[in-house]
């Protein structure tokens, strides 16, 4: 599946997600902490996408988002935290 990761934002929350036929198959949620930080609080990938690396792709998308918006990421979600730690090249957004 060639998934497009979409971004949805409200004033103080948001998510990066993959949707197919109206169903969210993967989602990583965040809260905004002021105007310069987001807090990643949860990552979930459906069984349909397990083993595809989709969780890591969501984290990578959050890094792109942080860089383009000149903000930092605070990873409270254990999965996001571990994934970010494995990629030294993403340290600039932490």
């Amino acid at each position: 599946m060639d998934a497009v990761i979409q971004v949805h934002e409200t004033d103080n929350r948001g998510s990066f997600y993959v949707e197919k036929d109206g169903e969210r198959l993967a989602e990583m949620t965040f809260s905004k902490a002021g105007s310069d930080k987001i807090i990643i609080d949860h990552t979930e990938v459906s069984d349909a996408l397990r083993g595809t690396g989709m969780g890591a792709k969501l984290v990578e998308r959050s890094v792109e988002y942080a860089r383009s918006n000149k903000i930092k990421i605070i990873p409270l979600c254990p999965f996001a935290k571990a994934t970010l730690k494995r990629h030294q090249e993403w340290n600039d957004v932490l």
Side-chain angles (χ1 to χ4, degrees):
M1 175 182 174
D2 210 13
V4 175
I5 298 173
Q6 301 180 68
V7 181
H8 173 74
E9 289 182 81
T10 63
D11 285 344
N12 54 3
R13 294 204 44 78
S15 63
F16 301 97
Y17 65 95
V18 173
E19 204 170 74
K20 185 176 181 196
D21 301 326
E23 181 187 355
R24 287 205 178 181
L25 299 178
E27 181 175 43
M28 185 168 68
T29 58
F30 63 88
S31 301
K32 295 180 182 178
S35 60
D36 61 344
K37 290 183 206 71
I38 60 170
I39 300 168
I40 296 175
D41 48 30
H42 183 70
T43 305
E44 193 166 331
V45 177
S46 75
D47 289 341
L49 294 179
R50 288 232 191 281
T52 64
M54 183 51 68
K57 289 175 187 161
L58 289 171
V59 176
E60 183 175 18
R61 180 66 183 90
S62 74
V63 170
E64 292 166 1
Y65 173 88
R67 286 176 176 160
S68 66
N69 289 284
K70 295 179 176 45
I71 60 175
K72 298 292 183 181
I73 295 173
I74 301 168
L76 290 187
C77 163
F79 175 81
K81 188 177 212 163
T83 304
L84 285 161
K85 195 178 276 191
R86 276 197 303 274
H87 292 270
Q88 300 290 308
E89 69 274 19
W90 295 344
N91 283 351
D92 61 301
V93 300
L94 294 177

